[in-house]
């Protein structure tokens, strides 16, 4: 009498099988070493494929197809952006897969021609009050030049100090999303408060209350930064933010 053989069901691979704990551990090792050769080895062996696949999946999952260049080139740009932001990932502050998925989506949202081709940022950036310290009697051209130079210095300050001022991964994501608005200001037109919050919610998945808390904290720093810039014409970008 023959025995009945029960077929063994194959386990399905998780959706993010290409980006696992080994990948996250590699990113942590990459961030901890200053050895360029070791960084290249870690990246090529353990991170490169995961970033490439992550970028590809997000482009196709969310249908980010409205670019002036082929999807393959967009993918390479997203991967480059992930590498540039690798140092912002903090061990123990959340999963690397979730963090870099948000970073990639963040980049694509702000570059997707279909959704944002009509946007162009206003020079005054009134929603975060970055122009409130300028005297109204100044010539408009001088104000524009002042604002442009200040925003450049302000972004450089935050690039150097973002992870010193904000420690939690979800706070860093929100703050970086706000800063990304300034980096891409030439591509955003409707920069009112409601539009800003909607866009940041979509980019980070954070609630409005959390976004408000981070924005308010950034505004406090900005008050001091603006005073420093008005008095000296530059910012001490190495400052760790201890003036609060």
């Amino acid at each position: 009498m023959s025995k009945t053989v029960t077929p063994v069901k194959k386990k399905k691979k998780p959706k993010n099988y290409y980006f696992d704990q080994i990948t996250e551990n590699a990113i942590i090792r990459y961030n901890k070493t200053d050895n360029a050769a070791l960084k290249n080895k870690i990246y090529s062996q353990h991170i490169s494929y995961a970033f490439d696949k992550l970028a590809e999946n997000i482009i196709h999952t969310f249908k980010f197809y409205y670019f002036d260049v082929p999807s393959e080139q967009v993918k390479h740009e997203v991967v480059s952006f992930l590498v540039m932001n690798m140092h912002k990932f903090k061990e123990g502050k959340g999963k690397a897969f979730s963090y870099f998925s948000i970073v990639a989506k963040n980049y694509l949202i702000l570059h997707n021609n279909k959704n944002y081709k009509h946007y162009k940022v206003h020079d005054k950036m009134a929603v975060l009050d970055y122009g409130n310290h300028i005297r109204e009697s100044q010539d408009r051209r001088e104000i524009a030049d002042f604002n442009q130079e200040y925003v450049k210095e302000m972004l450089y300050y935050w690039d150097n100090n973002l992870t010193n001022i904000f420690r939690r991964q979800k706070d860093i994501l929100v703050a970086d999303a706000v800063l990304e608005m300034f980096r891409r200001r030439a591509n955003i037109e409707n920069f009112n408060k409601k539009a800003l919050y909607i866009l940041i919610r979509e980019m980070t998945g954070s609630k409005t209350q959390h976004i408000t808390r981070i924005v308010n904290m950034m505004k406090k720093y900005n008050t001091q930064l603006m005073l420093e810039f008005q008095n000296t014409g530059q910012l001490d970008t190495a400052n760790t933010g201890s003036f609060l």
Side-chain angles (χ1 to χ4, degrees):
M1 185 175 178
S2 60
K3 294 182 179 179
T4 303
V5 178
T6 304
V8 178
K9 292 184 179 180
K10 292 183 178 180
K11 292 183 179 180
K12 291 184 178 180
K13 290 183 178 180
K15 290 182 179 180
N16 61 325
Y17 66 91
Y18 56 88
F19 198 129
D20 54 16
Q21 189 60 46
I22 294 174
T23 310
E24 181 170 320
N25 293 341
I27 292 171
I28 293 169
R29 293 204 315 275
Y30 180 98
N31 286 338
K32 285 183 177 180
T33 183
D34 294 322
N35 186 307
L38 181 57
K39 278 182 177 287
N40 288 335
K41 183 178 180 181
I42 293 172
Y43 180 79
S44 61
Q45 292 184 358
H46 302 292
I47 303 174
S48 177
Y49 175 76
F51 274 7
D52 189 84
K53 194 68 177 176
L54 175 67
E56 179 182 300
N57 285 351
I58 289 181
I59 289 170
H60 295 307
T61 298
F62 296 98
K63 303 188 186 304
F64 289 114
Y65 299 143
Y66 299 92
F67 288 86
D68 297 327
V69 295
S71 293
E72 189 68 18
Q73 185 174 334
V74 175
K75 182 179 73 172
H76 290 317
E77 291 176 0
V78 173
V79 171
S80 296
F81 190 72
L82 294 178
V83 174
M84 287 171 56
N85 285 275
M86 223 189 313
H87 68 284
K88 295 177 183 176
F89 176 73
K90 299 299 179 183
E91 182 180 2
K93 300 294 184 180
K95 301 300 291 180
F97 176 75
S98 298
Y99 173 77
F100 286 102
S101 294
I102 292 173
V103 171
K105 190 178 177 186
N106 175 337
Y107 179 90
L108 288 163
I109 286 172
L110 290 173
H111 289 76
N112 188 8
N113 292 351
K114 180 186 180 183
N115 292 332
Y116 303 105
K117 64 182 178 180
H118 297 301
Y119 289 155
K120 187 176 182 181
V121 89
H122 294 299
D123 288 335
K124 292 181 180 178
M125 301 293 223
V127 66
L128 292 180
D129 299 324
Y130 282 111
N132 287 350
H133 299 279
I134 311 300
R135 292 176 301 177
E136 292 183 358
S137 60
Q138 288 181 297
D139 178 78
R140 286 187 179 181
R141 183 67 259 171
E142 291 179 0
I143 294 175
D145 290 343
F146 183 96
N147 285 344
Q148 184 176 5
E149 186 62 27
Y150 171 71
V151 170
K152 183 173 71 174
E153 289 275 313
M154 178 267 293
L155 286 173
Y156 191 45
Y157 171 87
W158 280 107
D159 284 343
N160 286 342
N161 293 287
L162 182 63
T163 55
N164 294 329
I165 295 170
F166 296 104
R167 300 293 183 178
R168 296 192 305 172
Q169 200 70 59
K170 65 178 184 178
D171 294 347
I172 292 171
L173 279 172
V174 171
D176 195 51
V178 173
L179 296 172
E180 193 66 19
M181 302 295 178
F182 288 92
R183 298 185 189 108
R184 308 298 174 188
R185 55 192 179 278
N187 301 320
I188 305 175
E189 182 179 286
N190 186 15
F191 211 91
N192 60 57
K193 187 173 182 179
K194 184 177 180 180
L196 172 69
Y197 274 64
I198 290 174
L199 190 53
I200 294 176
R201 279 206 309 268
E202 185 175 354
M203 290 161 61
T204 65
S206 293
K207 295 182 179 180
T208 301
Q209 185 178 10
H210 180 221
I211 296 170
T212 300
R213 183 173 62 80
I214 300 302
V215 168
N216 286 342
M217 187 171 179
M218 294 178 78
K219 286 170 69 175
K220 290 179 181 179
Y221 277 89
N222 182 74
T223 299
Q224 298 298 323
L225 293 174
M226 176 60 81
L227 290 173
E228 180 183 343
F229 189 75
Q230 282 183 311
N231 293 331
T232 66
Q234 60 184 3
L235 295 179
D236 178 9
T237 55
N239 190 305
T240 58
S242 57
F243 51 65
L244 288 188

